[in-house]
């Protein structure tokens, strides 16, 4: 089975993440897509992170009923901070009959040379990049394992959503209704 791994903090998951996931399921040769919740990204500060189990639960609520999408807590079991190369190696050993690929934004791809074992990732795994404004990728210079997809993008971010919540402003339509209900009920990001 071909499984796309969409790594991220998902702090919280929002409509933009879901649009990208659906676009990849429509246009990339993937059988499944897993949202891999990163407990701690080594290139980001972690003080504003909601507990990883709560972030995973919000994803589960957002994708409830979707048969080809799932959340993954695989990095919860691995040493922190989370390194994509370690997660890929672990998953490849755990599921030897599946083929994993990495899904990332072009902003993340511009930093790939800062990633642990980035050259191994580029050689051993397919990578699907969705372009983000201001981070254009020259397809002609990429290895054959890398595909750039023109996904529909929304100019929203988890940072922006957290800011609105702190300011007691509405985030309706930025996150799925069921996610919004849980954020309000649990008073997340206050």
């Amino acid at each position: 089975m071909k499984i796309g791994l969409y790594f991220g903090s998902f702090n919280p998951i929002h409509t933009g993440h879901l649009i990208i996931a659906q676009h990849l399921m429509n246009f990339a040769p993937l059988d499944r897509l897993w949202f891999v919740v990163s407990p701690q990204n080594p290139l980001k500060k972690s003080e504003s992170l909601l507990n990883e189990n709560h972030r995973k639960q919000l994803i589960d609520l957002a994708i409830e009923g979707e048969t080809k999408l799932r959340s993954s807590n695989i990095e919860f079991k691995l040493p922190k901070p989370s390194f994509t190369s370690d997660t890929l190696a672990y998953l490849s050993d755990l599921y030897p009959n599946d083929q994993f690929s990495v899904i990332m934004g072009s902003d993340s791809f511009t930093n790939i040379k800062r990633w642990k074992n980035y050259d191994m990732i580029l050689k051993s795994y397919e990578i699907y990049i969705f372009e983000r404004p201001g981070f254009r990728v020259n397809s002609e210079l990429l290895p054959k394992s890398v595909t750039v997809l023109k996904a529909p993008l929304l100019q929203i971010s988890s940072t922006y959503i957290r800011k609105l919540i702190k300011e007691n402003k509405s985030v309706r339509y930025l996150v799925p209704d069921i996610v919004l209900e849980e954020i309000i009920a649990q008073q997340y990001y206050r």
Side-chain angles (χ1 to χ4, degrees), residues 28-64:
L30 299 173
D31 299 307
R32 300 279 187 274
L33 183 142
W34 295 359
F35 290 92
V36 181
V37 181
S38 300
Q40 181 185 346
N41 181 325
L43 300 178
K44 290 184 178 178
K45 295 179 181 175
S46 62
E47 63 260 0
S48 65
L49 278 178
L50 188 64
N51 172 282
E52 62 241 26
N53 291 301
H54 297 317
R55 289 182 280 132
K56 182 185 180 305
Q57 180 196 17
L58 292 175
I59 294 170
D60 290 338
L61 289 170
I63 62 174
E64 190 173 359

Side-chain angles (χ1 to χ4, degrees), residues 63-74:
I63 62 174
E64 190 173 359
E66 293 288 337
T67 58
K68 295 185 178 188
L69 304 177
R70 68 167 266 206
S71 67
S72 172
N73 65 356
I74 199 74

